[in-house]
Amino acid sequence: MYILGIETSCDESATAIYDSVSGCVLGEKIYSQIETHNRFGGIVPEVASREHLKFLPALVDQTLKEAGLSSFPDAIAVTHGPGLMGALLVGVSYAKAMGVVYGCPVIPINHLEGHLLSPGIMQPLQLPCVTLLVSGGHTLLVAVDAVGQYRLLGQSLDDAAGECFDKCARLLGLPYPGGPVIAKMAEQGDPKRFDLPRPMLHKKNLHFSFSGLKTALMYKVRGTDIQQQDQQWKNDLAASLQAAIVDVLVKKSLRACVEEQVSHLWVAGGVAANLYLRERMIAQASEHDVSVCFAAGQHCTDNAAMIAYAAWQHIEHGLVKKDRLWDAQSRCPLV
Ligand code: KG4
Ligand code: ZN
């Protein structure tokens, strides 16, 4: 089967075609709206919807061309939530319209499940496992017993890890998204220079909390003219912040694997692109005999390959029910 994936839940318009026979992504396009929103100092939902509407048709055309298929794909997979309501509606409406025109089924996919399964796009997945889903909107530890069978083990009680990177970057006068900028600066920094807390690390549960870390950083820089500090000071602060976040993510993920008695850990979501997290996770997991599988770099942040792939997983595991398919007449569950 060829599956066209569409993702418009936030500020990225993305399309991809997944081929279930070869297990490959045949074409993939992402248009990021970051620069448009940066002018407003944050994501403006109405602007996001309009941008999706403007760019989605061209992205679909380009992806179909790149994939070189002789006919339209067999199914369309589209993100139906969670996300910005208007932005989701653009993707869902477009998918449903194409479903009518080309007479193919439209499969609604949860954005978080897309992230959750994304390590499987590039490599065979071994189950059961624990997944750390660590993005701008979520920090979750999930036990994956089988495709479609998920148990929430822990989550952030306030800010997500990516949100913490983004808010701290803002505090330091750095652009959005903060994660990649802080990671780059941290490469040249000393993670031990600033003593920052590791929130919830010693609590017996598998929950997280990152808003206190942001506050601790705020107190560290209070009364300091950040712009007047030299680059080494900034790099050291970035490295100390990154180390605090990564420490908690690594320790809690491995504790989850031990508690669940599983030997496979998947890591997905935007923050999974962080190279320091990858290094530390792999090193510490080997001490626990746990194998770690990360989503590929281009599939960590929002993308449509993960949506198409999740739809294929639903089909392969018999989870696509007729009443979960949309046709032109059925109301979008969002409205
Ligand atoms: O998965 P994603 O694209 O969007 C959500 O579904 O939330 O994740 C975006 C988040 C942002 O908070 C961004 O700062 C973070 O992922 N991020 C990173 C890195 N690349 C993206 N955080 C740390 N290090 C990175 N290299
Ligand atoms: Zn996402």
Side-chain angles (χ1 to χ4, degrees):
M1 270 185 95
Y2 296 117
I3 302 171
L4 169 65
I6 295 179
E7 155 66 42
T8 62
S9 67
C10 192
D11 59 347
E12 259 116 16
S13 316
T15 51
I17 291 173
Y18 182 76
D19 173 10
S20 69
V21 176
S22 66
C24 290
V25 178
L26 301 183
E28 188 165 15
K29 294 276 171 231
I30 299 184
Y31 171 74
S32 169
Q33 306 173 359
I34 284 177
E35 291 199 355
T36 310
H37 295 286
N38 266 344
R39 284 189 279 136
F40 302 101
I43 296 170
V44 183
E46 174 66 19
V47 173
S49 312
R50 289 176 189 274
E51 290 275 288
H52 286 309
L53 202 55
K54 197 159 128 193
F55 290 101
L56 191 56
L59 290 174
V60 170
D61 283 352
Q62 288 168 16
T63 310
L64 290 171
K65 231 176 246 155
E66 189 180 322
L69 306 184
S70 53
S71 59
F72 195 80
D74 304 289
I76 303 169
V78 61
T79 305
H80 75 107
L84 302 172
M85 184 69 83
L88 290 164
L89 271 171
V90 173
V92 166
S93 308
Y94 195 77
K96 286 175 71 172
M98 281 200 304
V100 174
V101 171
Y102 293 102
C104 64
V106 179
I107 305 167
I109 295 294
N110 180 293
H111 181 79
L112 298 180
E113 191 183 16
H115 275 303
L116 198 79
L117 299 176
S118 62
I121 301 172
M122 295 297 201
Q123 59 222 300
L125 290 174
Q126 282 151 318
L127 292 172
C129 74
V130 164
T131 298
L132 170 68
L133 197 176
V134 67
S135 70
H138 297 85
T139 303
L140 309 176
L141 275 169
V142 180
V144 182
D145 298 325
V147 173
Q149 287 175 35
Y150 312 118
R151 284 178 292 120
L152 183 64
L153 303 174
Q155 63 184 318
S156 179
L157 304 177
D158 40 56
D159 292 353
E163 197 177 352
C164 181
F165 272 114
D166 296 337
K167 287 182 174 172
C168 289
R170 205 187 164 116
L171 248 154
L172 302 175
L174 301 169
Y176 176 87
V181 186
I182 289 185
K184 186 95 199 102
M185 288 165 63
E187 282 172 17
Q188 313 294 328
D190 172 9
K192 295 207 172 82
R193 171 151 173 203
F194 295 94
D195 185 24
L196 290 169
R198 271 62 176 157
M200 309 275 288
L201 188 59
H202 300 295
K203 286 259 173 356
K204 287 226 151 48
N205 57 43
L206 293 171
H207 294 314
F208 303 90
S209 163
F210 290 104
S211 77
L213 181 53
K214 173 196 66 199
T215 312
L217 185 105
M218 197 172 78
Y219 281 120
K220 278 264 179 274
V221 301
R222 206 161 63 166
T224 310
D225 184 349
I226 295 165
Q227 301 317 323
Q228 292 304 313
Q229 299 299 315
D230 61 28
Q231 194 56 43
Q232 194 57 51
W233 184 92
K234 293 178 190 167
N235 293 346
D236 291 347
L237 192 62
S240 304
L241 172 69
Q242 178 178 260
I245 296 174
V246 166
D247 250 7
V248 184
L249 293 176
V250 169
K251 296 221 169 81
K252 290 243 162 172
S253 302
L254 293 172
R255 195 184 299 161
C257 292
V258 172
E259 284 180 15
E260 286 294 311
Q261 299 182 342
V262 299
S263 52
H264 303 291
L265 173 67
W266 305 351
V267 189
V271 182
N274 186 285
L275 296 180
Y276 182 71
L277 171 68
R278 287 177 178 241
E279 276 168 23
R280 290 279 310 280
M281 194 70 98
I282 290 169
Q284 296 203 14
S286 67
E287 291 170 17
H288 290 78
D289 280 333
V290 169
S291 72
V292 194
C293 173
F294 289 89
Q298 73 272 28
H299 299 141
C300 286
T301 45
D302 290 348
N303 66 89
M306 69 182 191
I307 303 304
Y309 175 74
W312 166 244
Q313 288 298 303
H314 280 206
I315 295 167
E316 198 180 21
H317 292 87
L319 302 176
V320 176
K321 305 273 174 333
K322 222 171 173 309
D323 59 2
R324 290 206 62 218
L325 296 177
W326 290 333
D327 57 34
Q329 279 73 42
S330 67
R331 272 165 67 88
C332 164
L334 293 165
V335 292

